[in-house]
Every structure is written in C-alpha cells, then in structure tokens.
Amino acid sequence: MSKSVRVWSAVAATLLGILIGSSSNAQRVNPPSEGGSFPDIMIPAPSSAEAQKYLGLKAKEKFKVSEIKAELVIFEVFSMYCPHCQREAPSVNELYRLIDGRPDLKGKIKVVGLGAGNNSFEVELFSKKYDIPFPLIPDVDLALHRALGEVRTPYFIAVKLGRGGQSKVIYSKVGSPGDPSQFLDLLLQRSKAL
Amino acid sequence: MSKTTFPAALVVAILVGLGVAWGQVESEQFKGKIFHAEPLKPIDSRVSVKVGDTAPDFTLPSITGERVSLSQYRGKKNVVLSFVPAAFTPVCSQQWPGYRMIQDMFDALDATVIGITTDNLPSLFAWTQEMGGIPFPVLSDFWPHGKVSSEYGILRGDGTSERALFVVDKSGVIRYIDVHDINERPPLDRLLQQLEALNKHKTKK
C-alpha cells in the first residue's frame, strides 16, 4: 500500500467509526414512560430452574416481558456496587414478601432484578448477601440498561401485562419507591385504573 | 503505519463516537454529586514492583485519624491495596461500596482491604461519608504528593493514581497485581480467586 492510500484508509475508517458510534448515540432511548408500553427487548433468562419456574418460563434462553406468567411485573434496575441499591434491598425483599403473603396477589405479581453492568458472579453475590428471594438477571454488557434509557440505579418499572401480549408501564421512576406496603397499594390502584 | 491501521482506527473511532454509551451505571445516591470525566487514557504509568517482591512499606494518615502502616499487618492478615484515582468520580464511587458489601468474605479469607487515593484527607472523609461509610482503612497519599503511588509505579501524569490492586500476603510479599484500565472496575471474582488461592496455599503448608 502506498502511503497516501494508507492515510486515506485510516481517515475513512475514522469517519466510518464516528458515524457508527454517533448513530448509536442517536438511537439512545428514553426510559420507559408511564402510560407507554415496555420496550420489546429480549431479556436473558435466569439460569436457575427455580427462577425460571417463578417467571413461568420453560427452557428459554431469552424472553420478552410478555412471556412472564404474571399480570404485573416489577423490575428493579440495580447494581451490586450501587450503595442506594444495597440500602434498598431489604425493602424490595419486603415488597416480594407482601405479595407472596397475599393469596390474591401471589403468582400474579412478579419481581425481577436487572443487574446493570454486573456479571453473574456479581448478581449472585448480591442475591446471597441480601437473601433475595426473586430472580436477578445479569446485564454485564449493559444491553438492557441501554434499552431502558441508561437510568440511574435503583430504578423501578412496573409493567401491566395484557392477555394479548400487550404491555403498559404503570410506574417508571428512579430511586426508592418508599414504604413497600404503600408502593404496592399505589401499583394496585394504578393497575386497576387501567 | 501497519496493515492494522484500518481496523484499529475503526475501533477507536467507534469508541469515540459512542461517547455517552461509555458504560457507566450511576447510583441515584450520587445524582449531581459526581464529577463526570471523559474516558481517560487507560494506564498512564509504569508499575515498578512485581509479583514476588516485598511490597514497599509505607505509613499514611487515615480518615479516622490514626496513621496506618502496611507492615502492621505483617504476620496477621493478607492485604488488598486498592488504589483508586480520585474521590467523587463515577467508577471509584462504586468500587469500594462493592468491597464493603462483601466485607464478610474478605474477613473469611483473612484479608483486609486498604483503600488509597492521592486526595487530601478532608475530601476523602467527605466522599466516604457520602458513600455511607467504608469499613476498611482509607488512606491519603496526598503529601508528599503521591509518594506511595510513585513507589509502586502507579502515579499518573496528572497526579492521580492508577486504579490498581495489589494483593500482599502475610509475609509482606506481593502475590497479585492488577493495574487496571482506569475507566473500568476490576472484576471482583478474579480478586477473590487470588485470595482463595493464598488461603489454600497456607492450609496445605
């Protein structure tokens, strides 16, 4: 290759790269909005059979939110390393237990954690440390985090699922949702209003 | 320029173009309180110690008031020296809370973390308070500026230290070094594996 060809190919590569990079930027999405639908993303299935059973998934590698066997799904976007998420963990467990303790809600409302930037080892550590009774899904390459608008953590999204596979976001906010019992009441109210 | 010019330039440019998609997850706790830097040169120094060397001893002031020496752990505990670049920055503000969360695992592995930055004590104190307190010693290598970082060969051109881990065993010997890309968090599993290996080794003896 002559020197000029090499220089031009480097320039072309640089421009192409910036174009590819910027187009990803242009695709940067907003967090799911309340009243809107949940993005049509493929979520990696949890590895444990127990977690798969809880979500009603059978031998799936990836799933859409509409495939979860539930009427309402509460997602927490968290990170093992995030101090607020660590502090929030007992409250989210309490939320799970409140649901689990009510025969009218058990099996209809599911809780799922998405570990932004965490690998499976890290979500497992978080799960053990805080004795978390619901599935935590690693998102080490931040694919889910990007699809959910690169939110700060913890971030809570509640999605009401319709019979026809449609979804409606009824809660989408950063930070602690406060008292678990009041949060559950709020979600039930909003869920009924739809 | 070599044949690799095209793909290399492409990769670099994609990364530059990606910009905000750099891949940091920010805790709500630090909303508006964290200094956001652009991605930095991954490593900007040359480490001057190696695995098998006796770790250079030092005495530095800690945020709790006392002075802490590496040698005081000799014969008692394995030590993880965790140098991080700067207080109030995104990656650092999550790394130590992660170590805090698994404090019991470090205890079980007969190890203590020692956190070090080149910030001054008041900044380090305020930052660790903001993180909700850090259970292990946090030391300031501020003055003479970066002296300890310099002895380990991890002082960067701008006066911060690298994001580096050194595992020092109970006999004071360096057993593991990870001078990490400053923009990324070092993988926790690898660090724990190193400490587990040290413990296995000891049990065999």
Side-chain angles (χ1 to χ4, degrees):
Chain A
M1 259 198 272
S2 77
K3 192 181 171 191
S4 67
V5 170
R6 285 200 302 261
V7 170
W8 276 112
S9 65
V11 169
T14 307
L15 291 176
L16 180 63
I18 288 173
L19 195 68
I20 295 170
S22 324
S23 65
S24 303
N25 262 355
Q27 284 164 10
R28 194 178 177 199
V29 296
N30 290 320
S33 55
E34 291 175 4
S37 57
F38 190 79
D40 205 18
I41 48 176
M42 296 304 287
I43 304 167
S47 47
S48 88
E50 194 189 349
Q52 289 232 8
K53 193 180 163 200
Y54 171 72
L55 297 176
L57 307 166
K58 274 182 197 152
K60 286 251 173 197
E61 275 187 20
K62 291 192 166 196
F63 65 95
K64 286 182 184 175
V65 66
S66 57
E67 293 177 75
I68 299 176
K69 199 178 162 199
E71 291 173 22
L72 187 68
V73 180
I74 304 164
F75 287 106
E76 181 197 9
V77 184
F78 76 99
S79 163
M80 186 208 101
Y81 293 93
C82 141
H84 259 197
C85 307
Q86 296 173 354
R87 212 171 297 159
E88 192 63 20
S91 294
V92 191
N93 285 352
E94 174 65 15
L95 175 68
Y96 171 89
R97 291 198 183 97
L98 285 171
I99 297 164
D100 199 49
R102 278 183 57 173
D104 59 326
L105 302 181
K106 188 176 178 175
K108 292 181 185 166
I109 305 180
K110 307 277 169 88
V111 186
V112 182
L114 303 175
N118 294 169
N119 62 24
S120 48
F121 178 82
E122 290 164 331
V123 298
E124 190 60 27
L125 276 185
F126 195 79
S127 181
K128 273 190 198 149
K129 176 75 190 181
Y130 296 104
D131 199 13
I132 292 176
F134 53 87
L136 300 181
I137 293 170
D139 177 30
V140 68
D141 60 359
L142 295 168
L144 301 174
H145 184 247
R146 272 195 297 279
L148 295 172
E150 296 181 26
V151 292
R152 289 191 305 276
T153 52
Y155 194 97
F156 289 84
I157 306 167
V159 189
K160 188 175 181 178
L161 301 177
R163 288 219 172 86
Q166 70 273 39
S167 67
K168 194 147 217 172
V169 175
I170 62 164
Y171 185 95
S172 178
K173 272 193 184 68
V174 71
S176 168
D179 176 70
S181 163
Q182 285 175 9
F183 180 46
L184 182 59
D185 286 345
L186 174 78
L187 295 182
L188 291 174
Q189 266 173 27
R190 289 190 180 180
S191 189
K192 273 180 203 150
L194 283 174
Chain B
M1 264 189 264
S2 70
K3 279 182 189 170
T4 57
T5 304
F6 189 89
L10 185 64
V11 168
V12 170
I14 288 174
L15 287 177
V16 170
L18 281 171
V20 290
W22 181 247
Q24 293 311 330
V25 179
E26 188 180 312
S27 168
E28 175 66 359
Q29 179 155 2
F30 305 121
K31 181 187 175 188
K33 295 174 183 167
I34 291 294
F35 179 77
H36 281 273
E38 289 300 306
L40 300 166
K41 186 178 172 187
I43 291 170
D44 187 34
S45 64
R46 188 169 290 181
V47 64
S48 54
V49 291
K50 58 182 189 304
V51 170
D53 287 356
T54 297
D57 192 24
F58 56 80
T59 303
L60 286 174
S62 81
I63 53 167
T64 50
E66 72 268 32
R67 296 176 70 79
V68 173
S69 301
L70 176 62
S71 53
Q72 74 191 55
Y73 295 91
R74 187 79 67 95
K76 293 176 187 152
K77 267 191 184 294
N78 300 305
V79 175
V80 177
L81 297 177
S82 168
F83 289 85
V84 300
F88 298 106
T89 54
V91 181
C92 309
S93 295
Q94 302 221 333
Q95 190 174 339
W96 289 353
Y99 296 163
R100 173 182 60 197
M101 195 192 92
I102 56 160
Q103 180 69 24
D104 52 348
M105 294 178 80
F106 287 119
D107 289 344
L109 291 163
D110 216 6
T112 182
V113 177
I114 295 180
I116 305 174
T117 84
T118 61
D119 296 286
N120 66 11
L121 273 179
S123 309
L124 268 181
F125 177 78
W127 177 50
T128 49
Q129 287 297 108
E130 190 66 51
M131 292 192 282
I134 293 296
F136 47 81
V138 172
L139 315 183
S140 163
D141 187 21
F142 180 68
W143 204 256
H145 192 80
K147 183 170 178 278
V148 175
S149 307
S150 221
E151 279 170 13
Y152 281 74
I154 50 163
L155 188 67
R156 294 171 64 98
D158 63 358
T160 61
S161 76
E162 300 290 356
R163 187 178 311 286
L165 294 170
F166 298 86
V167 172
V168 181
D169 70 13
K170 288 181 191 170
S171 61
V173 172
I174 299 174
R175 303 295 294 268
Y176 173 69
I177 299 175
D178 178 7
V179 180
H180 214 76
D181 179 339
I182 194 168
N183 304 293
E184 293 173 6
R185 210 171 35 223
L188 206 47
D189 28 356
R190 209 189 304 163
L191 174 63
L192 290 173
Q193 278 159 14
Q194 294 300 324
L195 290 172
E196 276 161 15
L198 275 190
N199 277 278
K200 269 181 202 155
H201 187 67
K202 282 279 175 303
T203 343
K204 271 180 197 167
K205 274 186 177 178

